[in-house]
């Protein structure tokens, strides 16, 4: 991300280059795949954003899976049992 | 006097013409004073005629007529007034804006045409259109945004160049034309950019208009030059700069695309600012990680409330909160299972249910609410009962239920073992 390029396109992006760098680095810390990448300073913002989208979708799927399991478990457990309360608290 | 070609008809634009010889519907106002003023219009039209003949698309004719109709009210007064007099200021401003708007429209049409014709056409064309539309609206409101609007035209111009370069099959002829168009557009834009300050204060005067017309004339000449052969260094320089612009625009467009996707993924994200949206994204990812970790192990901190706007869920959650509030922390130190952590976590964490709601209703799959949409409500008061039972702890120790819990925990762990590991790594850093 050269300054020259960012200057030229600053009007289009409306975000400072430093801000972008900062946020991208933060996202990179969160994303498990990119964290282990070599040449970490060269990861493009586009790639980071793509990985973030993928990661969020993956997390969504996992949460859905867990929710499914919890609801199934809830059905298998007595309604008034403490476990049911636990499960419900997790689900809701 | 310049000969301007308009879709098969040669129209002479002469400054001496006082009355606009009502030109063919394709090109209006080419006569008299509108000649140079129409130069930009004709500039576009020339390109569009070439494009039209090439594209064989009815849409091109549509925007021809629309464009001309658009230009008519602006150019007619110009042409009707003798060139000896300066054109009245009002038409200048709307003309420029109109022109800007037409340019955006044309590019939008270009892009849509390209999308239609080039199946699987560049994705940038799609999101590009709303970008252009947005800037168009901005540009039409004032003259100041004109520069920004014209800048946005560079985007479609470069996009066109990009598209044409990627699809080389259609033929080099089109490519040249498209590149020429892009080049001229960018040239015009660059000139317009360099002179926005001069133009804006001078919108009321004829000089600015003349300057712009001269720009158009120059660009017309440049079009011919570029189409023949580019030998001048200025051509090369601008081309190199354009290449850079192209790649930069493309990169920016990709990033914008992904930002939009991200925005769709994040619930309750109403922010248009990129920085805040990225902040939200970061928080959301962290929250999801924590949530998953909590769900799978029952350990870990309760995620803080993710989306601040919780009003729709408040009444629902209030019941839950009340239910949860009652036995804040029944001590369960005796229960060795991780479920213990569940209870302890649940105590201080009645916000947790709140966090969940904004996430899941916004998504398609709601396993919890859909199977038991009705029972959710009555379940809340049920919370009170099991909690009240906890005061008598022995019930917790039921083996079969414990086994269920254990299997649950184990299954969760197996499923997300790797992710948990990462989450635990993340937790200190997140």
């Amino acid at each position: 991300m050269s300054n020259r390029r960012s200057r030229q396109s600053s009007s289009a992006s409306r975000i400072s280059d430093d801000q972008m760098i900062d946020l991208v680095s933060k996202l990179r810390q969160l994303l498990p795949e990119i964290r282990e990448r070599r040449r970490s300073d060269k990861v493009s913002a586009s790639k980071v954003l793509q990985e973030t989208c993928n990661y969020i979708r993956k997390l969504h799927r996992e949460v859905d899976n867990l929710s499914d399991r919890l609801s199934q478990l809830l059905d298998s457990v007595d309604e008034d049992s403490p476990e049911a309360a636990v499960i419900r608290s997790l689900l809701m | 006097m310049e000969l301007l070609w308009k879709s098969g008809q040669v129209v002479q634009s002469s400054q001496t013409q006082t009355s606009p010889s009502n030109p063919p519907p394709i090109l209006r106002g080419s006569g008299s004073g509108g000649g140079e003023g129409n130069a930009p219009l004709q500039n576009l039209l020339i390109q569009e005629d070439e494009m039209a003949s090439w594209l064989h698309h009815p849409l091109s004719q549509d925007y021809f007529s629309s464009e001309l109709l658009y230009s008519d009210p602006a150019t007619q007064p110009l042409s009707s007034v003798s060139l000896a007099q300066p054109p009245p200021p009002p038409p200048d401003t709307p003309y420029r804006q109109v022109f800007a708007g037409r340019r955006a429209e044309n590019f939008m049409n270009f892009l849509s045409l390209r999308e239609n014709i080039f199946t699987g056409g560049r994705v940038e064309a799609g999101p590009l259109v709303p970008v252009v539309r947005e800037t168009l609206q901005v540009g039409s409101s004032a003259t100041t945004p004109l520069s920004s609007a014209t800048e946005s035209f560079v985007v479609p111009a470069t996009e066109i160049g990009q598209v044409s370069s990627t699809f080389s099959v259609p033929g080099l002829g089109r490519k040249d034309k498209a590149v020429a168009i892009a080049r001229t557009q960018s040239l015009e834009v660059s000139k317009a950019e360099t002179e926005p300050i001069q133009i804006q204060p001078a919108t009321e005067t004829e000089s600015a208009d003349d300057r712009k017309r001269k720009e158009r004339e120059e660009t017309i000449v440049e079009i011919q030059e570029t189409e023949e052969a580019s030998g001048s260094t200025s051509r090369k320089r601008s081309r190199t700069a354009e290449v850079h612009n192209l790649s930069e625009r493309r990169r920016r467009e990709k990033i914008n695309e992904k930002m939009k996707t991200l925005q769709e993924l994040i619930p309750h994200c109403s922010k248009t600012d990129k920085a805040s949206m990225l902040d939200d994204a970061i928080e959301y990812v962290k929250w999801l990680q924590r949530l998953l970790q909590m769900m799978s192990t029952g350990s870990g901190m309760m995620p803080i409330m993710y989306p601040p706007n919780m009003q729709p869920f408040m009444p629902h959650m209030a019941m839950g909160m009340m239910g949860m509030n009652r036995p804040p922390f029944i001590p369960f130190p005796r229960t060795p299972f991780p479920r213990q952590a569940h209870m302890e976590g649940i105590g201080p964490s009645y916000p947790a249910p709140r966090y969940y709601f904004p996430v899941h209703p916004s998504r398609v799959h709601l396993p919890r609410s859909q199977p038991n949409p009705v029972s959710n409500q009555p379940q809340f008061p049920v919370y009170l009962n099991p909690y009240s039972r906890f005061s008598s702890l022995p019930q917790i120790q039921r083996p079969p239920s414990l086994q269920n819990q254990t299997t649950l925990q184990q299954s969760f762990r197996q499923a997300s073992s790797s992710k948990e590991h990462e989450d635990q790594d993340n937790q200190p850093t997140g």
Side-chain angles (χ1 to χ4, degrees):
Chain A
M1 295 185 238
S2 72
N3 285 334
R4 175 175 57 89
R5 275 188 290 166
S6 66
R7 262 205 308 277
Q8 287 176 359
S9 55
S10 59
S11 63
S13 61
R14 293 183 197 93
I15 185 176
S16 83
D17 206 25
D18 294 335
Q19 260 182 321
M20 188 66 89
I21 292 176
D22 183 41
L23 294 168
V24 165
S25 66
K26 275 190 199 161
L27 273 178
R28 273 182 28 211
Q29 288 164 13
L30 292 174
L31 301 184
E33 297 88 12
I34 291 194
R35 248 187 309 141
E36 289 133 23
R37 261 175 76 131
R38 293 178 301 278
R39 298 174 67 234
S40 61
D41 57 332
K42 299 270 191 129
V43 179
S44 76
S46 143
K47 181 100 171 82
V48 168
L49 286 176
Q50 179 65 45
E51 291 297 324
T52 305
C53 291
N54 295 340
Y55 189 54
I56 288 182
R57 290 200 192 100
K58 181 182 148 205
L59 290 180
H60 279 179
R61 278 200 304 269
E62 285 194 29
V63 171
D64 283 342
N65 285 342
L66 287 182
S67 307
D68 284 341
R69 285 208 187 112
L70 280 179
S71 46
Q72 285 171 13
L73 192 60
L74 186 61
D75 293 338
S76 68
V77 169
D78 295 341
E79 277 293 317
D80 294 340
S81 68
E83 293 82 4
V86 167
I87 296 169
R88 273 185 229 111
S89 65
L90 281 177
L91 286 172
M92 300 168 215
Chain B
M1 171 131 61
E2 54 184 333
L3 289 181
L4 299 166
W5 167 67
K6 265 319 107 193
S7 69
Q9 297 206 14
V10 175
V11 179
Q12 291 184 358
S13 78
S14 160
Q15 306 217 351
T16 59
Q17 273 187 357
T18 54
S19 64
S21 60
N22 215 0
I26 294 296
L27 177 64
R28 242 165 295 167
S30 64
S32 74
E36 286 160 351
N38 283 324
L41 172 61
Q42 291 160 357
N43 188 11
L44 283 177
L45 288 178
I46 287 173
Q47 302 154 9
E48 283 144 14
D49 281 345
E50 294 168 351
M51 306 282 281
S53 59
W54 156 47
L55 292 172
H56 300 292
H57 201 278
L59 188 59
S60 59
Q61 298 164 8
D62 287 344
Y63 65 65
F64 272 23
S65 52
S66 67
E67 172 182 294
L68 292 163
L69 288 170
Y70 206 5
S71 68
D72 205 15
T75 56
Q76 280 298 342
L78 283 174
S79 55
S80 60
V81 175
S82 165
L83 265 193
Q85 300 173 7
D92 280 357
T93 316
Y95 177 72
R96 227 168 252 110
Q97 293 164 358
V98 156
F99 179 64
R102 269 206 310 280
R103 297 271 289 269
E105 281 179 6
N106 295 336
F107 281 118
M108 283 159 56
N109 288 328
F110 278 144
L111 295 173
S112 58
L113 284 172
R114 285 188 179 267
E115 267 185 329
N116 293 338
I117 287 174
F118 302 120
T119 57
R122 294 286 291 265
V123 183
E124 284 100 342
L128 198 55
V129 173
V131 168
V132 174
R133 283 202 188 104
E134 286 174 15
T135 53
L136 166 61
Q137 291 163 10
V138 170
S140 60
S141 59
T143 55
T144 310
L146 181 66
S147 55
S148 63
T150 54
E151 265 186 52
S152 70
F153 299 145
V154 178
V155 181
T158 55
E159 264 311 303
I160 286 176
Q162 272 315 111
V163 175
S164 63
S165 64
T166 53
F167 299 93
S168 58
V169 175
L172 284 179
R174 300 168 202 168
K175 188 174 175 181
D176 288 342
K177 286 173 190 169
V179 171
I181 292 165
R183 196 172 303 136
T184 53
Q185 294 301 344
S186 66
L187 283 171
E188 290 174 347
V189 168
S190 60
K191 284 179 187 161
E193 284 178 12
T194 52
E195 297 188 44
I197 300 173
Q198 302 163 9
I199 286 179
Q200 287 161 17
T203 46
E204 313 284 338
T205 68
E206 178 191 9
S207 57
D209 206 9
D210 287 344
R211 225 177 295 133
K212 203 163 183 187
R213 290 173 190 167
K214 280 163 193 165
E215 289 175 13
R216 306 304 172 215
E217 287 182 3
E218 291 170 14
T219 52
I220 288 176
V221 174
E222 281 160 356
I223 287 177
Q224 299 160 5
E225 284 180 357
T226 55
E227 291 206 0
E228 299 163 1
S230 58
S232 62
T233 51
S234 63
R235 285 287 129 259
K236 283 181 186 168
R237 248 185 284 124
S238 60
R239 208 187 314 182
T240 317
E242 268 206 46
V243 166
H244 286 168
N245 282 343
L246 283 174
S247 52
E248 179 61 23
R249 295 297 174 192
R250 195 165 36 139
R251 173 175 163 269
R252 285 289 166 186
E253 282 310 312
K254 264 170 40 178
I255 290 180
N256 287 341
E257 242 182 86
K258 301 206 167 99
M259 299 277 292
K260 276 186 200 146
T261 322
L262 195 59
Q263 193 173 17
E264 286 161 15
L265 278 176
I266 296 174
H268 300 279
C269 179
S270 55
K271 302 184 174 70
T272 52
D273 181 26
K274 281 193 189 183
S276 59
M277 209 204 76
L278 282 181
D279 279 333
D280 272 358
I282 291 168
E283 289 305 315
Y284 182 58
V285 168
K286 284 191 207 167
W287 179 76
L288 276 179
Q289 284 175 344
R290 267 179 277 167
L291 185 67
L292 276 174
Q293 190 180 21
M294 189 216 27
M295 283 178 76
S296 59
T297 62
S299 64
M301 323 249 295
M302 290 312 299
I304 51 179
M305 181 151 51
Y306 169 64
N309 46 347
M310 309 281 314
Q311 283 88 12
F313 308 111
M314 279 313 292
H316 204 50
M317 299 325 302
M319 296 164 57
M321 281 178 60
M322 284 168 14
M324 301 290 254
N325 268 334
R326 291 240 327 196
F329 316 115
I330 311 282
F332 306 122
R334 275 160 278 194
T335 309
F337 293 87
R339 185 169 43 113
Q340 202 47 29
H342 278 283
M343 300 310 298
E344 288 170 352
I346 286 160
S349 69
Y350 23 89
R354 264 197 292 182
Y355 314 149
Y356 223 70
F357 264 87
V359 176
H360 292 276
S362 67
R363 289 194 276 141
V364 181
H365 188 46
L366 297 176
R368 308 151 298 292
S369 53
Q370 280 158 10
N372 303 329
V374 178
S375 60
N376 275 344
Q377 305 274 345
Q379 272 174 10
F380 278 105
V382 172
Y383 281 162
L384 309 179
N385 297 337
Y387 276 106
S388 61
R389 261 194 258 160
F390 291 156
S391 52
S392 60
L393 286 168
Q395 296 180 1
I396 300 174
Q397 312 279 346
R398 282 179 305 186
S401 54
L402 293 176
Q403 284 169 7
N404 285 343
Q405 279 290 342
T406 311
T407 52
L408 175 70
Q409 297 303 322
Q410 286 171 357
S411 63
F412 286 167
R413 284 213 191 82
Q414 286 163 7
S416 57
S417 59
S418 62
K419 200 196 66 59
E420 281 173 30
H421 180 67
E422 290 153 359
D423 283 341
Q424 284 161 11
D425 287 343
N426 262 337
Q427 279 302 325
T429 60

